[in-house]
Amino acid sequence: MKEIRPEKKAILAEIRGLIEESSYMILVGYKGLTVEGITDLRSRIRPSGARATVVRNKFLERIIGDLGWSGAEGLVDGPVAIITGTGDVAAISKTLKAFATETKIMVIKGGTMDGAVLSAEDVDEMASLPTREVMLAKAVGAIAAPLSSIVGVMNQKVSSLLYVLKAVESKKNES
C-alpha cells in the first residue's frame, strides 16, 4: 500500500478523532448546495452541539474501514459531509430532515450511532422520535403516577382514621 504523506496523516487523525469523540455521525450528500446553504446548515445544528464537516470520500472510506463499520462504505458516494456530536441525536435528525425537506437538495445518506451503522431510514425514524427532554419527562411522569396514587390512598386512610376518631370523641362527649 502506498505511503501517506504526513499532512494527509494529520488530516486523517483529526477527522478520526472527531468521529471517535462523537456518539453519532450522520452522513449527508450536499451536491448542489451552495456555500450559503452549508453555512445555514451549520448555524441550524450548532445550538444542538453538532458540527458539520466536509470530508474527502477517500479519507472517510479509510476511516470507516479502520473503525470496522461494515456496511457504511456504501454511504460514501458523491460529495459528503459528516454531522457529528454527542448531544440528542433525535433533535439533530429532526433538524437535518427539516433542512433536507426545505432545500430539496441535501440528502441524508445514513450514519453511525455508538458504533452501529444506520441507514437513511433509521435516521428518518429517529427524526420522528420525541427529543430527549420529552422522553425524560414521560419517564418521570410514568414513575410519579403510581407514587401520587399511593399518596392519595394513604391520605384517604389517614382521613378515614381521623373521621373515626372524631366520631368516637363526639360520642364520648355526648355521654
Side-chain angles (χ1 to χ4, degrees), residues 5-160:
R5 294 193 320 239
E7 58 271 11
K8 288 189 178 183
K9 278 185 183 179
I11 293 170
L12 277 170
E14 181 182 344
I15 296 167
R16 184 178 177 143
L18 180 67
I19 292 170
E20 287 178 333
E21 291 169 5
S22 302
S23 59
Y24 63 84
M25 174 182 73
I26 300 174
L27 283 84
V28 295
Y30 66 92
K31 184 176 184 177
L33 202 60
T34 63
V35 173
E36 291 82 20
I38 292 174
T39 303
D40 183 27
L41 172 64
R42 285 182 170 142
S43 67
R44 289 186 191 197
I45 64 172
R46 191 173 300 119
S48 300
R51 178 178 172 181
T53 309
V54 175
V55 180
R56 283 187 58 192
N57 290 2
K58 292 219 183 253
F59 290 163
L60 192 54
E61 287 169 349
R62 179 178 283 244
I63 292 168
I64 287 172
D66 289 349
L67 294 173
W69 292 337
S70 60
E73 305 89 3
L75 303 175
V76 184
D77 180 35
V80 175
I82 58 171
I83 312 298
T84 54
T86 56
D88 186 3
V89 70
I92 289 297
S93 297
K94 285 180 194 318
T95 304
L96 292 175
K97 184 176 179 181
F99 187 80
T101 303
E102 285 175 29
T103 61
K104 295 180 178 45
I105 295 173
M106 189 186 84
V107 178
I108 299 172
K109 295 182 172 249
T112 63
M113 186 171 76
D114 296 325
V117 177
L118 305 171
S119 67
E121 292 79 25
D122 295 333
V123 177
D124 189 48
E125 191 70 29
M126 281 192 290
S128 66
L129 293 174
T131 62
R132 182 177 187 272
E133 289 78 21
V134 171
M135 287 198 289
L136 287 174
K138 285 183 179 183
V140 167
I143 292 169
L147 294 177
S148 40
S149 298
I150 290 172
V151 168
V153 168
M154 297 302 275
N155 191 22
Q156 287 176 342
K157 294 299 177 190
V158 170
S159 296
S160 297

